[in-house]
Structures are given as structure tokens and as C-alpha cells.
Amino acid sequence: MNKIRSLTFITALTCASSTVLSADWSNTQLHVNHGDFKNPFSTNEASTTVYSLQHSSGYKYGDNFFFIDYIVDDLDDNYQDRDFYGEWYSNFSLSKIGGLDIKSRYIKDIGIVAGFNMAGDSKVMKYLPGLKVSWDVKGFSFLSTLFTAYIDDSEGLAQGGAPAQTDSWMIDIAWGYPFTIGNQKFEVTGHVEYIAERESETGSDVKGWLLAQPIIRWDLGHALEMPSNQLYLGVEWQYWRNKLGTDTNESVPQVHVAWTF
């Protein structure tokens, strides 16, 4: 990780720490997912476990969301053998900061987003400035849409990383929908993103991709008479068309466990 990335990461963590201390609400979870994933740059498939620390919080100016994945697979092919990947999004609410009356029948709020995506071994860095629309839809604990640029600041082949790319754009829809069956609690959550096509520094096309990661999970903590929302057990389905901009398509069910701190 070069100095710029280190500074970006340290700054983000510093902001996170100060925000958490003054948060109106916060939620931190450890997710463990396990499934068989494809290496899009070869014909290999590996049994993979992803350990993910996820955090969301709200404060007087908006909200934050980030996750850090630690990825381990059982195949030594220099692809996700033991690698880190993380994303961070800070949303600055226009209604909270500017005092604007944005709320309508379907829209809860609109915000300005500053985000980044960072990968370890591939030395990838993307910046994602844009807008977040929070929707007001009955039954959903949250429903939001991100519209962002997808600006590349990767180190590239010259520094031993993945090829640098031209800039692009992204749209992402995220949701949470709790429901009950009898006296048992469940939730459908996840996100769907589309990132448009771009070009690699090698001159090859990087295809636009569609990534969907819906999760259906059972509130096991509630069933065991623990606090609700503390322990979940479920299934996450990962559907990835044109995985990482290649011709590889993937459809993988995973065992999903989540623990709320």
C-alpha cells in the first residue's frame, strides 16, 4: 500500500472513530460467507471463505458505511489466496446540512456521497463521488440508490498491480426488509450494482458488470432467546455477470453467518 493509500485509509479510520463516538445510531457486524468461487482469469474454482467486518452509522450530518473483507481460498493461484478488499461510503445529508425540505411521498432524503474501493494484492484504488437517494417505502428498514462516478487511481502494471483502467460510473441499490413467519424473525437484505464498461491500460475492453448479492437470513438470536438482530444464519446468493469485467459469469450460493457486536 503506497503512501497515498495509507493516508486515505488512516484518514477514513480517523473519521470513522470520531463519527462512531458521536453517532446517533450504529451497527457493526462480522459476516462469514463460504462458497465455491471462480477465478475469472483462469478456469480455476476454489472453495472460499470471506470474513467481512461491516459497519454503518448515522450522525448529525449524514451516515457512513464501510466493510473490510479478508478472503481465503484453498487454491494457490495468486488470486484471493489471502487478500483484503474494502469499501467506504460517507453520505452527507442535504436535509441535515442544508436544512432542505427534501422528503416527499417516496423520497426520504438525498445526500452527497464520497466513497472509495481498495484492493490489496491487485493494488486497486477507485474513488466514487456521487449522490445517494434514500427511499421511503413501507416495510423496508432501508432502501437506497447510489449514483456515482468510478474513478481509477490504481497503481497499475508498472507497480506490480492489476492493470489500471479508464474511468466509468456505477449505480447501486441496497435494501433491508425484515419480516416474520409465526414467531420467527427473518430479513432479506443485500445489494445490486452495475458498473459500466471501461478500458484497461493494456488496450483491452473491461466489460460492464452486474453484481447481485441478496441474502435471506433467519434471526437465530431471537429464536434462541438472545437479543434480536445479534445472530443471523442464512444463505447469500452471489450472481456476477462479466465478473471483474471478463466473460466469466458466476452464480454461487453461500452459507451466511452474521454476528452483531
Side-chain angles (χ1 to χ4, degrees):
M1 193 180 295
N2 63 22
K3 291 183 179 179
I4 295 177
R5 293 190 186 189
S6 299
L7 180 60
T8 301
F9 190 65
I10 291 169
T11 301
L13 290 180
T14 301
C15 291
S17 300
S18 59
T19 299
V20 168
L21 290 175
S22 60
D24 297 327
W25 61 268
S26 66
N27 181 273
T28 304
Q29 294 185 340
L30 174 65
H31 292 193
V32 181
N33 287 355
H34 183 80
D36 295 330
F37 293 95
K38 296 178 181 179
N39 180 340
F41 307 107
S42 72
T43 59
N44 297 332
E45 185 173 287
S47 179
T48 305
T49 301
V50 181
Y51 304 91
S52 182
L53 179 67
Q54 299 195 7
H55 172 84
S56 57
S57 59
Y59 66 115
K60 65 179 181 179
Y61 298 124
D63 55 80
N64 291 301
F65 171 77
F66 72 82
F67 70 84
I68 302 171
D69 289 346
Y70 178 57
I71 308 163
V72 181
D73 68 25
D74 65 352
L75 190 63
D76 187 11
D77 60 354
N78 294 318
Y79 175 75
Q80 295 187 341
D81 299 330
R82 276 175 173 75
D83 197 9
F84 287 93
Y85 175 77
E87 297 187 6
W88 175 287
Y89 301 94
S90 285
N91 172 53
F92 302 95
S93 165
L94 294 180
S95 62
K96 290 182 178 181
I97 295 176
L100 302 178
D101 186 11
I102 294 172
K103 190 171 183 178
S104 68
R105 182 177 177 183
Y106 297 109
I107 295 177
K108 186 182 298 183
D109 198 7
I110 297 175
I112 298 173
V113 171
F116 66 85
N117 299 173
M118 179 188 296
D121 289 348
S122 57
K123 301 180 181 179
V124 167
M125 172 67 84
K126 306 282 187 177
Y127 297 110
L128 295 90
L131 293 175
K132 176 182 178 180
V133 180
S134 298
W135 303 98
D136 191 359
V137 180
K138 184 178 179 179
F140 285 83
S141 56
F142 68 91
L143 178 62
S144 63
T145 306
L146 289 179
F147 304 91
T148 73
Y150 194 67
I151 301 170
D152 187 78
D153 189 31
S154 304
E155 294 189 16
L157 293 172
Q159 301 298 322
Q165 300 174 355
T166 55
D167 300 334
S168 184
W169 56 270
M170 180 190 79
I171 180 170
D172 182 279
I173 301 171
W175 68 88
Y177 187 87
F179 64 97
T180 59
I181 299 177
N183 63 353
Q184 298 300 306
K185 295 184 177 182
F186 299 86
E187 181 183 35
V188 178
T189 187
H191 80 112
V192 178
E193 71 178 26
Y194 176 76
I195 299 178
E197 65 276 1
R198 51 253 188 233
E199 187 175 294
S200 166
E201 67 174 293
T202 62
S204 60
D205 291 331
V206 180
K207 293 187 174 183
W209 74 54
L210 177 69
L211 172 61
Q213 295 175 304
I215 304 168
I216 182 167
R217 58 191 189 179
W218 171 39
D219 190 337
L220 181 57
H222 172 74
L224 297 176
E225 299 184 349
M226 300 164 59
S228 292
N229 307 320
Q230 184 168 349
L231 178 62
Y232 289 98
L233 176 63
V235 176
E236 177 174 329
W237 174 49
Q238 176 168 294
Y239 174 76
W240 203 336
R241 181 171 178 80
N242 299 333
K243 184 174 184 179
L244 292 177
T246 68
D247 291 322
T248 299
N249 297 326
E250 184 173 69
S251 181
V252 179
Q254 307 161 68
V255 176
H256 169 84
V257 178
W259 176 267
T260 303
F261 291 15

